[in-house]
Amino acid sequence: MTPEPPVETQISLARHASFQRFWGARVLSSISFQMLAVAIGWHIYAITHSAFALGLVGLAQFLPMFALTLVVGHVADRYDRRRIAAVCQALEALAAAVFLAGTLGGWLSAPVIYVLAALVGAMRAFESPSISSLLPSVVPRSELPRATAWSTSAGQAAQILGPAAGGLLYGLGPSAVYLASAVAFIAAATLVWSIPLRTKPAARAPVTLESVFSGIAFIRRQPVILGALSLDLFAVLFGGATALLPIFARDVLQTGPLGLGLLRSAPAVGALAGTIWLAHFPLRNRPGVAMFGGVIAFGVATIVFGLSHSFVLSLVSLAVLGASDVISVVVRLSLVQLRTPDEMLGRVSAVNALFIGTSNQLGEFESGVTAGWWGAVPAVLVGGVATIAVALLWIRLFPALAQTETLEEPKGVRTA
């Protein structure tokens, strides 16, 4: 009979298996969302031929996230984060099924797409902080920087596979994308439901007005975290070009749905390479300087993409954009997870998710509006220049971020 491994080894193996389920759930959920994004973007542009309509999809996803921010953080801190994420993913699968039924039935109009996009946005609002704040319960805090990089790689891998798969499946018809997305969401929900936790959820404290706003108050008292969140928000808000990719794919680069899928995958290719590098060589010294450098490189890559009329150069510039952006993502997530008490992590992660949603979904709306005014190419160029300007301004506004030496908070300076 084979002897049982030592208790420490069993615990380590259990943590490894838990993280594998966590990573797999993130990949599948992100793949589903990315496939939906490709299908929705191409579908709405095919119906309306309007850049403004593309922006409205981002706005429809952002509004419920904004409205629910304070609620979702409290929910993540008071209830089992695994169950919250699984239920949200199941409801996202339901939304994909409605997209499928509407396509097959011929009644999927632009207003229906906006409503379904808002439903998906609401579910992502609950899912995002629950998943983010779940990680410290899966791995020890000492392993969080490396685990955060690998967790980020899950999203980047999905952003490579999801858009490419979405574009390829869209060639068979939008119904194929919606069906595949629903199936992947269900698989993600099954995985996250089965994750065993190292620690139990914290006891449910009474809900007060102070506790509802405590996540925002905590961030305001932490200039390093506030600087990182706001820098990432404004950089992606002004520099995000992904909402306009259907226009570039169809009108500028003269490619089809598969080309659109490849363009949407390109930033994730660069980001995945960056996360793998950061997983093996974590940022330990001067993470703030690395973050500012990444944001400036993000702006430069955005400008190159806006000027490009070559499909290959566009892919390369988007890959560089993704590699630059991942530095900001890993630094921001690591700062939040390492400098926030676990009992507040859900509320702080919810505010973090709002910043991300503002930069992504509201950024898509901003890109759609400016492209409607000036055209797609000028909108991207102005956004890239604005991103660089924001980074230079933030160096002056948040010197603590620029000067921070480590991701972990120095001993003796925690602000409760």
Side-chain angles (χ1 to χ4, degrees):
M1 179 179 294
T2 304
E4 290 190 5
V7 174
E8 294 80 2
T9 303
Q10 294 182 45
I11 295 174
S12 177
L13 291 173
R15 288 173 181 168
H16 182 62
S18 298
F19 185 73
Q20 284 183 333
R21 296 177 189 177
F22 174 88
W23 195 90
R26 284 212 61 182
V27 168
L28 288 170
S29 179
S30 297
I31 283 178
S32 303
F33 182 72
Q34 293 299 325
M35 287 194 295
L36 267 182
V38 169
I40 292 172
W42 194 267
H43 209 149
I44 197 72
Y45 192 62
I47 293 173
T48 65
H49 301 283
S50 167
F52 184 69
L54 285 171
L56 285 178
V57 173
L59 182 63
Q61 292 180 326
F62 167 75
L63 288 178
M65 181 179 298
F66 175 77
L68 294 169
T69 296
L70 299 178
V71 175
V72 300
H74 247 291
V75 170
D77 281 337
R78 289 170 60 84
Y79 299 97
D80 191 326
R81 293 160 181 168
R82 299 168 301 173
R83 307 300 186 234
I84 299 169
V87 169
C88 290
Q89 289 159 354
L91 291 175
E92 287 168 290
L94 178 61
V98 176
F99 272 114
L100 173 61
T103 301
L104 295 176
W107 48 265
L108 190 65
S109 61
V112 174
I113 291 176
Y114 296 142
V115 171
L116 290 174
L119 173 61
V120 172
M123 293 305 99
R124 300 293 287 186
F126 280 94
E127 180 186 352
S128 181
S130 299
I131 286 288
S132 297
S133 55
L134 178 62
L135 186 57
S137 298
V138 177
V139 300
R141 290 182 72 90
S142 61
E143 297 177 16
L144 272 177
R146 192 181 301 273
T148 297
W150 281 116
S151 176
T152 303
S153 76
Q156 306 307 333
Q159 289 182 44
I160 296 171
L161 299 174
L168 183 62
L169 289 172
Y170 201 97
L172 303 175
S175 58
V177 185
Y178 299 136
L179 175 60
S181 181
V183 171
F185 270 130
I186 291 297
T190 302
L191 274 178
V192 77
W193 189 278
S194 67
I195 296 174
L197 300 182
R198 295 189 311 114
T199 58
K200 296 181 179 180
R204 300 177 189 175
V207 178
T208 64
L209 189 62
E210 181 181 0
S211 67
V212 167
F213 288 93
S214 59
I216 297 175
F218 177 83
I219 291 173
R220 288 186 60 187
R221 295 193 300 267
Q222 296 281 342
V224 172
I225 295 179
L226 177 60
L229 293 181
S230 56
L231 173 62
D232 191 67
L233 184 157
F234 285 105
V236 180
L237 177 65
F238 293 129
T242 54
L244 304 179
L245 288 181
I247 299 176
F248 277 86
R250 186 167 181 168
D251 300 337
V252 178
L253 301 173
Q254 306 294 316
T255 185
L258 180 57
L260 172 61
L262 293 175
L263 288 171
R264 290 191 68 101
S265 297
V269 172
L272 180 60
T275 52
I276 292 175
W277 174 268
L278 292 174
H280 287 92
F281 305 98
L283 289 170
R284 300 192 185 280
N285 300 315
R286 305 301 299 273
V289 172
M291 186 175 189
F292 281 112
V295 170
I296 291 173
F298 180 92
V300 172
T302 299
I303 294 172
V304 173
F305 172 75
L307 294 172
S308 172
H309 285 77
S310 163
F311 185 70
V312 173
L313 179 59
S314 296
L315 288 176
V316 171
S317 62
L318 288 173
V320 173
L321 182 151
S324 304
D325 183 50
V326 79
I327 297 173
S328 174
V329 171
V330 170
V331 171
R332 171 172 45 80
L333 289 177
S334 297
L335 287 172
V336 167
Q337 292 176 338
L338 287 171
R339 299 191 178 204
T340 304
D342 185 68
E343 63 273 12
M344 289 189 61
L345 194 52
R347 279 162 285 180
V348 174
S349 294
V351 178
N352 176 45
L354 175 63
F355 277 70
I356 298 171
T358 300
S359 60
N360 291 336
Q361 276 73 50
L362 194 58
E364 290 181 7
F365 177 67
E366 179 271 337
S367 297
V369 171
T370 54
W373 290 342
W374 307 327
V377 172
V380 170
L381 295 178
V382 170
V385 172
T387 298
I388 297 172
V390 165
L392 297 177
L393 177 61
W394 253 239
I395 293 175
R396 295 181 61 86
L397 293 178
F398 294 94
L401 175 60
Q403 298 166 10
T404 188
E405 296 291 336
T406 64
L407 291 170
E408 295 184 1
E409 190 168 35
K411 294 182 179 180
V413 299
R414 176 175 292 281
T415 305

